[in-house]
Amino acid sequence: MLILFLVIVTGAALPFSSFFIRVFTGDMSRGIPGHIEKTIYRFTETDPDHEDGWKGYARDLLAFNGIGFVILFILLLLQGFLPFNPENFGAFNLFTAINTATSFVTNTNWQVYSGETTASYLTQMAGFTVQNFLSSATGICIAIAVMRGITRQSTDRIGNFWVDITRCTLYILLPIAFIFALILASQGVIQNLDPYAQAIGYVPTGQQTIAMGPVASQEAIKELGTNGGGFFNANAAHPYENPTSLTNLIEVFLILLIPVTLPLVFGRMTGKMWQGWMIYTVMLVLFLGSFCTLYAAELTGNPLVKELGVSGISMEGKEVRLGLFGSSLFATSTTATSCGAVNSMHDSLTPLGGLVTLFMMLLGEVAFGGVGSGFYTMIGFVVLSVFIAGLMIGRTPEYLGKKIEVLEMRAAVIAVLVPGVLVLLLSGIALVLPNVEELMKNPGPHGLSELIYAFASMSQNNGSAFAGFDASKPFYTLIGSLAMVIGRFVPAVSMLALAGSLAQKKKVPPSSGTLPTASVTFSVWMILVILIIGALTFFPLFAMGPIAEHLTMIGGI
Amino acid sequence: MPRKRYPSLGAFESKLLREALISAVLKLDLRQQAGNPVMLLVEIGGILTTISFIISLFSATARTSFFTGFVSFWLWLTVLFSNFAESVSEGRGKARAASLRQSRTSVPARKLKTESFDASSIEISSSDLRKGDLVLVKANEVIPGDGEVVKGAALVNEAAITGESAPVVRESGGDRSAVTGGTTVIANEIIIRITTDPGQTFLDRMISMVEGAERRKTPNEIALEILLIALTGVFLAVVVSTYSVSAYSAASSGRGAPASLTVLIALFVCLAPTTIAALLPAIGIAGMDRLFRLNVVALSGRAIEAAGDVNVLLLDKTGTITLGNRQAAEFLPVDNQSLDDLTEAALLSSFADDTPEGKSIIALIQEKTGIAPVSPENVTFIPFSAATRVSGAQCKDTTYLKGASDAIAKAVLERGGVIPSDLKAKVDRVASAGGTPLVVARNETILGVIFLKDILKTGIKERFADLRRIGIKTVMITGDNHLTAATIAAEAGVDDYLAEAKPDDKLKMIRDYQNEGYMVAMTGDGTNDAPALAQSDVAVAMNNGTQPAREAANIIDLDSDPTKLLDIVEIGKQILMTRGALTTFSIANDIAKYFAIIPAALIGIYPQLEVLNIMGLATPQSAILSAVIFNALVIPMLIPLALAGVKFKTMPASKLFAYNLTIFGLGGIIAPFIGIKVIDLVLAGLLHI
């Protein structure tokens, strides 16, 4: 089942990757969309033939996201005065607005609000959905710029941000999101602007309010762009977001599609498909490993419950209609990418299952990773792995003919390690603050996991939550916003710097003295580097969080 | 050539060792540690635990303060071991520098007004000499500075620099004009134009390189340091968060206590990449020293590492690939001429020829006939002249000539002779067999061709095969024609050749390779090599070369042996490999240390974490101490490896990587599990900790 599913994803990614190449080389800029593209350039005074160095690219990218933040922020505060608000929701709380705007701009989609009780339809459509497109396009642009840096030589140009983001949105994200919105709607995902319905429910209290809204249009891009911000609070566990096992698979497919495609795009761009497959394989192995562990942990459940004669599998917090497999697949996919949509309560995963989701985020979300961010973080890991491996064969390390020197190391180290350090420091600070116990619903090892999960989710721009740790206090919304901004843009800008530096270098022709990076040995080495760096960074936290919880659980203490 | 020049300085010679120990203690000065941030933090950890120990003497139980004191003691040892590693590697260089410095003492110099042996002179100190000054040096005087012989020729003893006791000739003009300050004139007198200011002479540069005084970190070293510092930063954050997480966990579980300062510092020191950080300076210095033992001086650390990256080697044919001298191998008569006539003519024309080729002709005749040829009477010799490019002998009215085929053809035609029809075929046959054809004529008759063969150096072919296996391309540079060059290239197994090479061709070839992204190394000695040397990434100049060549180079071979280039490449690779291997080892060690320290630190809070104590260490204290002690002891245990370098194996990169990964990666994971367990057994068994 899983294998078949991954084969389908990969099968789709292969032709999709050549489509990517055509989009970003401007090969698709024809016909009506080409006309729209040209109109946009005329309007924004963009010269599509001009390319920038990494600094210019980063400047445009930051400016664009800054503007996106301001617009969304204003929208959140003014939604009460604007149309498409049948439930008459007022303005967002100031701190919530800052946190939410940051969250959507950084592709985190951490939600300290409940969609159906806070956000108007206009906010959902013009605010969140638009940022879902733009933040994921931003990630893809960075990945493409990094690929250009590696493949080009003797130039300082890595592309034009405005052109890249226009093409990415126009030719890739919009059409696919449109098609899949229709498919999802056909399966029962709602799409309307109606006021909330009233129903005589099963509940003894009688009336029940059923939230409505333009869900399908947001759902498709939410998964495709690994955004993950749910229309409803229950996210993809909500029947209007994810009604059936089929939509569940479609949504996981969408989450994985672009992250799986990007390494193959890279393979095509370098002209060495095996290099793309190597990165793909490393991602796949990590993904499979985490899925199997999580699935096994959930299947095993709590042995003590089993002793009581009850089926041991852990169904707490999972939707019966999606099942254990569907929930495990979704949970792995959403944390292994930086999606953060959920179809089950991650908080209710078994300790080891929860550890897997936590670990996947803390590894930097590289197994297949967020759209763009997964790829460029992976390149950061490639640079680290190549560096140590290169030394071991007695050459200045090189990757695809590009020498890895001081600047590249600095960029890779920052991109790979900063988010992790952020999690450590924020968790460390939060735990010594006096009121921490009050914010935890489940003090003890589980509460600790919840707290670490919250900071991991924000720093790594995932957006999913264990819940349980109340991060809606002004202090934490601001700290969280800061974490999201640092976790997003520090690695992004340093990887652009790396691209800029690599683009200037000449390629060293390969020989038998060159370390082959598309080999089994190197893939194993890369997996080890990723796992060891992750494990070394978080071992003490895991020991006192999920591991202690697991041991407590099986020990029955 | 004899290799052993310097008194052997074993790494563990007692005097050096004593000095290294003293200097290790002196290096505890925090300012000196600033260059090595990882060890600086370890030392700060040592200071903090010491303070904590002193406080604990008054407040805590004897057991706690003993533990703190013991951890503190081993942290200090860790720093000392690191300092010691650096001191030992520096020590050998310092001892050499001291002996070099004796030759640098200022000597009186006879400064001349004009370039003439009888010009008036003033006596000044060598330290007052400036670039462009002319000095006269007589027999048994020390040459006061680096320079160029502008007048005269002398026998110079260069043992001070090269260790070679046999004197060499230095003369004005040509490729043997460079003299080095500190060497001694043995016979004759010369006028020298000084080419460097005091303080920057060859000897000065050599001393500072050997001593490591001017050692700048190479870009590769800096890149590695960035990784190490970043990891250290991560582990600092780990330790900080471990404290607050353990404080929270202890409070919420109502058991145990937060990890103590001593435990946290122990955890930090064990996790931080101390092994590689401690040995990193030693690796670079030791590499330099290994080169020096080969009698090669690198003028920058960067040059040696660049040597490890080289993927194209430009090698002069003569002297590097082949023995300098060609040898006669066969006589080929032409046009029905008899072999005896040819042999006789060859003999007569070669008697006066003192060149190795001439001697080899006579040796060949002796070998073929079995009789030692006797010099005939009534023979006048015709020496080789640049105008006619032939040499030979005049015997009564018969002229015997030998030379290159076109030169002989010209001479024969002038005398009214004819060119035999099969001459060209024979000449080409010799050339295409990689030989040099010498044509012999008697009066106006061409008798035949002598086949002069290039003799490959023994083992050179295997060496090139090794180089190819590790991805290095070899290019042979020769003045020979294409036919000859191609044959020798094939015979020696080089990848490419440059025939009929002129200095400009060399320069162009280097640029072409560099534009394709290759790193190029070459050796050279002549002034006309200087531009190519300056252009190439690794430029090895022969010490007997000219001053311009030596200035353009970044590595000087004191033995003037061009094959050393291959050794230099190997040492460059070794330095990087040693760094990579020890980094991998250092990081891999952390896994075992975690399994030792984390359960020990947290067991009070969560007793169930005992399952993580997979080594079954006796007590929490012994577990933490064992990890700290292992971390410290591994440094001195690896000093010999850091000094000698990881052995370089000629295998393709993919295999070499898998090989080193198994040894240092897998080994690095397993070794500490064993080491820590053993130390724990000792601690628990003997000290009852």
Side-chain angles (χ1 to χ4, degrees):
Chain A
M1 180 75 187
L2 176 72
I3 304 290
L4 180 72
F5 179 72
L6 288 172
V7 168
I8 293 172
V9 176
T10 311
L14 258 178
F16 196 34
S17 61
S18 31
F19 179 70
F20 259 74
I21 301 272
R22 297 181 61 193
V23 168
F24 284 101
T25 47
D27 213 18
M28 293 306 294
S29 310
R30 285 177 276 129
I32 298 169
H35 193 70
I36 299 174
E37 192 189 326
K38 279 196 197 82
T39 314
I40 294 173
Y41 295 153
R42 208 171 311 130
F43 184 70
T44 55
E45 295 181 1
T46 303
D47 172 10
D49 295 326
H50 170 82
E51 293 204 327
D52 267 319
W54 77 268
K55 282 182 187 155
Y57 202 93
R59 180 196 60 222
D60 292 351
L61 182 143
L62 292 176
F64 180 74
N65 282 284
I67 295 166
F69 170 84
V70 171
I71 292 173
L72 181 56
F73 179 65
I74 293 172
L75 182 63
L76 293 178
L77 293 182
L78 297 183
Q79 68 168 4
F81 306 104
L82 297 170
F84 298 111
N85 188 4
E87 300 302 313
N88 293 316
F89 294 129
F92 270 59
N93 162 306
L94 180 70
F95 294 106
T96 311
I98 292 174
N99 188 279
T100 307
T102 316
S103 169
F104 276 80
V105 168
T106 55
N107 196 260
T108 310
N109 308 37
W110 171 262
Q111 295 164 295
V112 291
Y113 63 94
S114 285
E116 62 268 45
T117 59
T118 327
S120 76
Y121 292 162
L122 184 74
T123 303
Q124 296 273 22
M125 293 189 295
F128 297 157
T129 307
V130 166
Q131 275 309 319
N132 277 354
F133 276 103
L134 298 181
S135 67
S136 47
T138 300
I140 296 174
C141 290
I142 301 166
I144 296 293
V146 169
M147 292 183 204
R148 287 195 189 117
I150 297 172
T151 48
R152 290 181 176 182
Q153 55 178 337
S154 310
T155 172
D156 58 348
R157 306 287 141 144
I158 58 169
N160 183 328
F161 175 73
W162 305 114
V163 173
D164 287 346
I165 197 154
T166 310
R167 287 179 179 163
C168 180
T169 314
L170 205 58
Y171 301 112
I172 296 173
L173 298 178
L174 274 174
I176 294 177
F178 182 75
I179 295 167
F180 277 91
L182 291 182
I183 295 175
L184 289 174
S186 77
Q187 294 299 309
V189 178
I190 61 170
Q191 177 77 9
N192 61 47
L193 296 171
D194 299 341
Y196 290 179
Q198 301 297 317
I200 306 298
Y202 174 73
V203 278
T205 45
Q207 275 224 329
Q208 200 182 0
T209 305
I210 309 285
M212 291 286 136
V215 180
S217 59
Q218 189 176 341
E219 194 68 16
I221 185 64
K222 167 187 124 185
E223 317 293 9
L224 180 66
T226 67
N227 291 286
F231 193 95
F232 302 115
N233 193 33
N235 210 315
H238 194 290
Y240 285 169
E241 283 203 23
N242 186 9
T244 65
S245 298
L246 179 64
T247 55
N248 193 57
L249 281 182
I250 292 175
E251 290 185 7
V252 179
F253 172 82
L254 285 177
I255 292 176
L256 294 177
L257 181 62
I258 295 179
V260 171
T261 304
L262 285 172
L264 305 183
V265 175
F266 179 62
R268 288 189 196 284
M269 213 189 249
T270 53
K272 298 181 184 94
M273 211 50 205
W274 280 109
Q275 298 292 344
W277 285 117
M278 186 280 290
I279 294 178
Y280 169 91
T281 311
V282 169
M283 291 173 161
L284 182 71
V285 170
L286 291 172
F287 181 85
L288 284 178
S290 69
F291 172 81
C292 293
T293 316
L294 188 141
Y295 193 46
E298 299 308 304
L299 268 182
T300 313
N302 186 336
L304 297 180
V305 175
K306 209 173 213 162
E307 277 171 28
L308 297 173
V310 185
S311 154
I313 70 164
S314 169
M315 279 306 287
E316 182 195 317
K318 297 187 183 67
E319 290 290 310
V320 178
R321 72 175 192 285
L322 304 174
L324 190 65
F325 176 81
S327 300
S328 300
L329 180 61
F330 205 110
T332 311
S333 305
T334 199
T335 49
T337 69
S338 90
C339 184
V342 290
N343 74 349
S344 63
M345 195 62 205
H346 286 190
D347 198 25
S348 296
L349 292 170
T350 56
L352 291 186
L355 173 62
V356 170
T357 57
L358 193 52
F359 196 45
M360 287 317 280
M361 289 195 294
L362 290 174
L363 285 185
E365 289 165 351
V366 288
F368 296 100
V371 285
S373 63
F375 177 81
Y376 63 71
T377 310
M378 198 56 151
I379 291 295
F381 274 114
V382 169
V383 167
L384 291 192
S385 309
V386 159
F387 182 76
I388 304 177
L391 287 186
M392 272 199 281
I393 61 156
R395 281 258 291 251
T396 296
E398 65 203 40
Y399 179 54
L400 294 174
K402 299 289 183 132
K403 290 218 155 110
I404 306 298
E405 288 164 304
V406 177
L407 210 145
E408 290 76 24
M409 272 312 276
R410 199 173 291 147
V413 157
I414 289 174
V416 167
L417 298 178
V418 160
V421 171
L422 206 56
V423 176
L424 289 175
L425 292 180
L426 291 180
S427 307
I429 292 168
L431 283 166
V432 289
L433 293 179
N435 60 348
V436 67
E437 287 265 336
E438 296 160 25
L439 299 173
M440 287 187 182
K441 284 207 191 80
N442 312 289
H446 191 69
L448 183 65
S449 303
E450 290 170 347
L451 179 135
I452 298 167
Y453 197 102
F455 289 116
S457 182
M458 290 190 272
S459 307
Q460 297 283 5
N461 302 127
N462 186 283
S464 67
F466 253 23
F469 175 69
D470 181 3
S472 66
K473 294 277 178 296
F475 174 71
Y476 285 106
T477 54
L478 291 181
I479 288 284
S481 305
L482 192 67
M484 290 188 274
V485 170
I486 295 176
R488 173 73 167 181
F489 293 111
V490 169
V493 171
S494 51
M495 288 310 285
L496 285 175
L498 180 129
S501 162
L502 287 184
Q504 291 178 23
K505 297 192 174 183
K506 283 196 195 107
K507 283 186 199 163
V508 182
S511 72
S512 64
T514 314
L515 178 76
T517 45
S519 68
V520 177
T521 322
F522 188 76
S523 311
V524 172
W525 167 242
M526 259 204 80
I527 292 168
L528 282 179
V529 167
I530 295 172
L531 289 179
I532 289 179
I533 288 182
L536 290 182
T537 314
F538 298 106
F539 189 74
L541 267 60
F542 290 160
M544 285 180 274
I547 295 177
E549 191 192 347
H550 173 75
L551 295 171
T552 309
M553 180 181 86
I554 58 169
I557 305 167
Chain B
M1 241 186 243
R3 268 282 160 86
K4 195 162 169 302
R5 306 290 155 65
Y6 290 88
S8 134
L9 295 164
F12 296 101
E13 201 176 275
S14 64
K15 180 166 170 278
L16 272 181
L17 224 79
R18 211 166 42 241
E19 277 168 13
L21 276 173
I22 294 166
S23 127
V25 175
L26 292 178
K27 276 176 199 254
L28 285 177
D29 183 347
L30 284 176
R31 281 164 301 184
Q32 286 213 35
Q33 292 288 344
N36 193 343
V38 181
M39 295 319 294
L40 177 70
L41 285 172
V42 176
E43 186 167 343
I44 291 173
I47 295 171
L48 288 177
T49 48
T50 308
I51 295 171
S52 157
F53 168 64
I54 294 168
I55 295 171
S56 76
L57 285 177
F58 302 101
S59 57
T61 61
R63 197 181 163 82
T64 314
S65 70
F66 175 72
F67 171 69
T68 311
F70 213 41
V71 168
S72 174
F73 171 72
W74 279 96
L75 294 188
W76 285 110
L77 273 189
T78 312
V79 183
L80 282 175
F81 287 149
S82 157
N83 292 347
F84 178 70
E86 194 176 341
S87 305
V88 165
S89 63
E90 283 172 350
R92 302 207 267 188
K94 276 191 179 140
R96 291 213 170 101
S99 76
L100 285 174
R101 209 171 263 128
Q102 288 172 353
S103 339
R104 202 186 53 173
T105 45
S106 93
V107 290
R110 212 176 279 113
K111 186 175 165 188
L112 294 179
K113 288 234 164 61
T114 57
E115 195 186 304
S116 146
F117 283 106
D118 27 63
S120 63
S121 67
I122 43 168
E123 192 151 306
I124 62 169
S125 163
S126 63
S127 53
D128 295 329
L129 282 174
R130 291 292 174 271
K131 227 184 245 184
D133 286 354
L134 292 169
V135 288
L136 174 69
V137 187
K138 294 184 175 172
N140 297 320
E141 287 177 353
V142 174
I143 295 175
D146 289 2
E148 206 181 341
V149 181
V150 286
K151 210 158 195 170
L155 215 50
V156 179
N157 181 345
E158 296 193 334
I161 304 289
T162 63
E164 174 67 71
S165 51
V168 291
V169 174
R170 296 291 178 211
E171 58 193 348
S172 63
D175 285 350
R176 302 283 175 269
S177 61
V179 287
T180 310
T183 56
T184 315
V185 172
I186 291 187
N188 296 352
E189 49 183 36
I190 40 175
I191 297 176
I192 297 164
R193 180 181 291 116
I194 298 295
T195 49
T196 47
D197 287 334
Q200 285 149 22
T201 61
F202 183 58
L203 202 57
D204 289 318
R205 284 196 287 167
M206 204 157 134
I207 290 170
S208 69
M209 283 313 292
V210 174
E211 215 173 19
E214 248 184 54
R215 208 175 71 86
R216 266 185 237 113
K217 287 175 184 164
T218 63
N220 176 270
E221 223 173 339
I222 296 171
L224 179 56
E225 255 187 19
I226 288 173
L227 177 68
L228 299 182
I229 291 170
L231 285 176
T232 309
V234 168
F235 292 131
L236 263 184
V238 168
V239 167
V240 167
S241 69
T242 302
Y243 169 73
S244 68
V245 175
S246 68
Y248 165 78
S249 301
S252 87
S253 70
R255 275 187 309 263
S260 69
L261 180 70
T262 312
V263 170
L264 290 173
I265 290 174
L267 178 64
F268 168 73
V269 170
C270 287
L271 291 181
T274 46
T275 315
I276 175 68
L279 299 173
L280 192 54
I283 295 171
I285 301 172
M288 207 85 105
D289 188 67
R290 279 204 299 285
L291 264 190
F292 203 81
R293 259 178 290 161
L294 282 177
N295 239 359
V296 173
V297 181
L299 299 175
S300 77
R302 213 176 164 151
I304 312 177
E305 282 174 26
D309 286 349
V310 158
N311 30 28
V312 174
L313 290 186
L314 298 191
L315 300 163
D316 276 329
K317 185 195 79 176
T318 310
T320 312
I321 298 172
T322 62
L323 294 170
N325 319 322
R326 286 169 287 204
Q327 293 182 355
E330 213 183 332
F331 297 114
L332 305 166
V334 291
D335 199 22
N336 303 326
Q337 299 292 337
S338 76
L339 180 60
D340 288 344
D341 281 357
L342 173 59
T343 312
E344 193 199 358
L347 180 66
L348 288 170
S349 64
S350 302
F351 257 117
D353 188 351
D354 265 345
T355 63
E357 286 83 1
K359 285 180 182 159
S360 79
I361 293 172
I362 294 175
L364 181 70
I365 294 169
Q366 183 176 358
E367 187 194 310
K368 292 214 165 182
T369 58
I371 310 160
V374 185
S375 176
E377 287 170 22
N378 307 326
V379 172
T380 39
F381 301 113
I382 306 168
F384 181 85
S385 86
T388 58
R389 293 191 297 128
V390 297
S391 63
Q394 184 76 38
C395 191
K396 292 174 202 152
D397 51 350
T398 320
T399 313
Y400 299 96
L401 289 176
K402 75 171 196 297
S405 85
D406 56 341
I408 294 288
K410 196 171 155 235
V412 167
L413 289 175
E414 272 170 12
R415 289 163 207 256
V418 286
I419 308 297
S421 54
D422 59 345
L423 179 68
K424 193 178 177 316
K426 291 239 157 69
V427 164
D428 284 353
R429 216 193 81 203
V430 171
S432 65
T436 307
L438 271 188
V439 179
V440 182
R442 188 179 55 209
N443 295 335
E444 73 292 339
T445 319
I446 290 180
L447 297 173
V449 180
I450 305 174
F451 185 166
L452 285 181
K453 205 173 179 181
D454 257 318
I455 308 294
L456 290 186
K457 285 196 166 176
T458 44
I460 200 81
K461 203 172 169 175
E462 290 73 21
R463 209 120 192 218
F464 290 147
D466 282 350
L467 286 171
R468 190 167 314 109
R469 215 167 299 133
I470 58 172
I472 295 175
K473 218 172 150 136
T474 43
V475 181
M476 180 181 86
I477 310 280
T478 171
D480 292 344
N481 64 43
H482 285 272
L483 222 49
T484 313
T487 313
I488 294 173
E491 208 174 314
V494 293
D495 298 295
D496 199 357
Y497 64 88
L498 181 66
E500 291 167 8
K502 291 182 285 296
D504 283 356
D505 299 337
K506 255 195 225 186
L507 187 60
K508 189 178 166 295
M509 189 171 207
I510 293 172
R511 287 210 177 114
D512 288 348
Y513 271 121
Q514 284 173 337
N515 284 336
E516 286 172 47
Y518 287 98
M519 295 270 283
V520 182
M522 73 166 280
T523 55
D525 51 5
T527 301
N528 55 14
D529 283 333
L533 282 170
Q535 179 70 31
S536 58
D537 301 285
V538 175
V540 184
M542 303 297 114
N543 189 51
N544 62 18
T546 58
Q547 193 64 22
R550 293 197 332 188
E551 297 214 330
N554 47 20
I555 293 178
I556 311 269
D557 178 9
L558 300 177
D559 288 342
S560 307
D561 169 12
T563 36
K564 286 254 199 75
L565 192 49
L566 311 180
D567 298 308
I568 297 169
V569 167
E570 210 158 278
I571 289 175
K573 284 190 178 295
Q574 269 190 319
I575 293 177
L576 295 190
M577 276 170 56
T578 313
R579 275 187 204 139
L582 291 180
T583 305
T584 311
F585 186 81
S586 192
I587 296 170
N589 273 346
D590 281 0
I591 297 172
K593 292 174 193 161
Y594 254 137
F595 278 103
I597 295 180
I598 288 298
L602 303 178
I603 206 147
I605 304 171
Y606 295 117
Q608 54 271 46
L609 286 177
E610 176 62 25
V611 293
L612 292 181
N613 181 10
I614 52 176
M615 283 175 273
L617 304 177
T619 63
Q621 281 89 350
S622 76
I624 292 168
L625 266 176
S626 306
V628 171
I629 294 174
F630 177 83
N631 188 59
L633 286 183
V634 86
I635 297 171
M637 279 164 69
L638 289 174
I639 289 179
L641 179 71
L643 295 188
V646 171
K647 200 166 163 8
F648 184 75
K649 293 189 178 326
T650 49
M651 42 170 103
S654 53
K655 276 195 192 150
L656 187 63
F657 173 52
Y659 180 84
N660 280 334
L661 189 58
T662 316
I663 293 188
F664 296 99
L666 202 61
I669 292 175
I670 297 168
F673 277 104
I674 302 169
I676 290 173
K677 179 69 188 169
V678 169
I679 297 171
D680 178 72
L681 285 175
V682 172
L683 286 180
L686 297 181
L687 301 172
H688 306 290
I689 294 172

